[in-house]
Amino acid sequence: AKNTDYPKLVIHTYSRLGQENVRLGQKEKALEFVLAGEKIAVEENLWFETANMYGQLGELYNLGFNKTEIALQYLLKSDSIYQAHDVQGNKRGSVLSYIGDVYSAFGDTQEARAYQEQALDIFKKSNFTSKQKFILVKLASIEALDKNYEKAISYMLDCIAYYGEKKFLINEAHCQVLLSDFYYESGQMEKALNAGQIAIDLNKKNNPDYGLFMALVNQTKILHEHGNYTKSNELALEAESLGLKLNDFSELKSVYEKLYLNSEILGDFEKAYTYSKEHKRVSDTLVAIQNIENAKELEAQYKNSQQQQEIALLQSQNQLAIAQRKNQRNLLFGIISFASIALLVLFTLYRNRKKTATKLIELSAAKSTFFQNISHEFRTPLSLISGPIERRLENKDIDESDRKEFEMIYRNSNRLMDLINQILDISKIESKEINVKVSSGNLNALLKSIAASFNYKANKKQIDFNVDVEGMDDSWFDKDAIEKITINLLSNAFKFTPEKGLVSLKAWQQNGMAIIEVENSGSQFSKTEINTIFDRFSRLENKNEEVGSGIGLALVKELTQLSRGEIKAENSKKDVVKFSVMLPIEKTKFEPHEIVISQPSIDINNQDSEIISTEIDDIPLMLVVDDNDDIRSFINESFKNEYRIIEAIDGKKGIEVALEYIPDIIISDVMMPNVSGIELCTQLKQDQRTSHIPIVLLTAKVDQESQFQGLETGADDYVLKPFSVKLLATRVKNLVKSRIQLQDRYSKEVILKPHEIAFNSIDEQFIEKVKEVLDENMTDDSFSIKDFSGKLSMSRMQLHRKLKALTGLSASEFLRTERLKLAVSLFEDVSLNINEICYQSGFNSPS
């Protein structure tokens, strides 16, 4: 379970280990496993698993350790979690029953009965009969405590009848023991003996040692009270051998008591003396066990109070020393006075420094809050600026000079929005709202994909861009932090590198640290600049532009320090500057709460069969089209846990793969050889087989015309390089979610409505064609999926994938559903019988 990095599975396994160790009588080991599971559940914020583990701890502390107060705390916490999430299922029913058990142990039968009856109501609603009978057994014991023997016996007879019918003989035997006890308590001695004998016979038939032991002990007691001392003695000897085997001293004490009392009454005083000594020995053993438990409790209390005792001892020693020095009081008075004045001065200085530190913390918090508030306020006017500008740019008839001005305004409004986002990031770091969250991944792929996103800028400015990344395939890092650090450093480098200049990105692993170096030509730092380069809005000397975005490098430093790393800037050679970042990438370098465990990945091979299996087909299929190996590899790495991934190296291959496999979503680069992303989008959106597939285009071209061109061809979204994986994942998730909502709408419609479930006009035409084919052929029971796909000019797999995307159903499920919907409408005509409806809706059998 640990190897899967799947917390729920690990917690479940710990829970089962706890249960199995309880069965083996190893309660200490059981508690160790259950506490380990509870810790993970709380750390991972898994409320259902937390409630379950609390319930298990409560049961264990109550039954295994007799620590009813601790048990009740855990059980009430478990129940409160279930209540908060409105859970009324069997898990909560069990917890309520355990709470009832604790109140029974307290002797509070009123509360015990109330909780058991709540549990019984839950199990009745879920038709969980065996649990209902289990609760009735507990209610019977509660009624017996209140001397309501008639009700207790009624409950027990009900349970015995159920267990007898179901052949649950061990449960039946247990209930017979309790029934025997109830009869005995209510003075019905013959019935008590009869029930006790049935319990012994059932247990001997099924060989459960503990069940037989308890039945013998109970029958021994009743026979003794009934005056049948010989039979009582006979059964007591059987019980003794089982008790010694089970090492159950608490019940052996009762057995030896009956043995020496029976022997005494029967006149065998030698045996009576022997058994009385055994009774004394077992009693002493029980006392010793209790003393050990008490000693453990006292040890725990001692450890908790040990520190206070040591402090008290030191205080006593100080008082003794003061008493001994009373005779030297006059001599030391001056020294003490001087020391007192010095301490007073030091205390005053300390208090003032503490006040100053507190004020600085308050000022820093107020500053962060101010930045957050004002940043949020800036967003609204910026949106009101960029929105109308964006609409004006959509106008193809706009004057060219106006277009350039509007593009400049739009470009700078976006830059200002980036600045605001960076201010928000810094303020969140300062206020500790952003924490390190590392997970296992391929750092090489991430850095190479970010670098690949800058190729367009490099080509545009004719910059020699070198990338050398290696040795970090399996690393632990915060993906969001790495993205922001690297993108800011590279953006800064490209900004200050002249045309035909040089930019390089190097990264490698050294002693558990990732070393990331970004160099660029065309710049040189003075000593002052090196000392202030990471300050917000610092400027290069004799330059008109601020470094980076003004706060980009400040954000880089904050993120680096948050990730327990270091960063420095230096002049590596003449007119070349270098930024070096060192970050830990080993799991042991981070705290447990900073580690995020990824879900186990889904690994599949290419599907050769026409129809993909249902189990695999339920996992969305993503097509990644990009001519850059690193970007394809990185997207694959980022999405492999939620999607099946297939790849294509250019637009031409992408179209072929899309038509063959009909993916659920496509991520494609715009600039590719052979066929561009724009052409791929145009072709796939005009083909009925693929028109429904959401397409996300990636591009480094930031001009408005390129974005509008992509969206006009039918692209569902447009993401600029370098992109954030988190942003891309959110866009993809929203697109897939919108498709699922349309599938849900189909499931609620009795009549097939093309415009209700289509994504676009091409899909609507496809659904219309499907409707026509169904109207003509659905009543023909020989009409197959092969016929269906043939009439739509598709392969079986293409039809399957298309209908799966539009309706959530496979081709065969869709055809059957439509036939059933037709049958629904035919049922409204009361003049038709089942056979007529069967054949009119295309089914060949009424069953």
Side-chain angles (χ1 to χ4, degrees), residues 780-843:
D780 180 2
D781 60 12
S782 65
F783 182 63
S784 65
I785 300 303
K786 184 177 180 181
D787 300 328
F788 194 5
S789 59
K791 288 182 179 293
L792 292 168
S793 303
M794 289 184 174
S795 70
R796 290 178 64 189
M797 195 278 281
Q798 287 170 338
L799 177 61
H800 168 82
R801 298 286 301 164
K802 181 80 176 181
L803 288 175
K804 190 79 174 175
L806 292 173
T807 67
L809 303 174
S810 66
S812 57
E813 290 170 339
F814 175 78
L815 180 57
R816 185 171 66 248
T817 300
E818 287 301 311
R819 281 172 167 162
L820 285 170
K821 286 181 178 180
L822 174 60
V824 168
S825 62
L826 292 174
F827 267 113
E828 294 173 355
D829 185 350
V830 295
S831 66
L832 296 174
N833 61 34
I834 295 293
N835 286 331
E836 290 173 318
I837 291 172
C838 162
Y839 299 121
Q840 287 186 35
S841 54
F843 290 98

Side-chain angles (χ1 to χ4, degrees), residues 322-337:
I322 291 168
Q324 289 173 344
R325 289 197 300 269
K326 277 184 179 180
N327 292 333
Q328 302 171 342
R329 180 174 52 191
N330 294 334
L331 179 64
L332 297 176
F333 181 74
I335 298 172
I336 292 170
S337 300

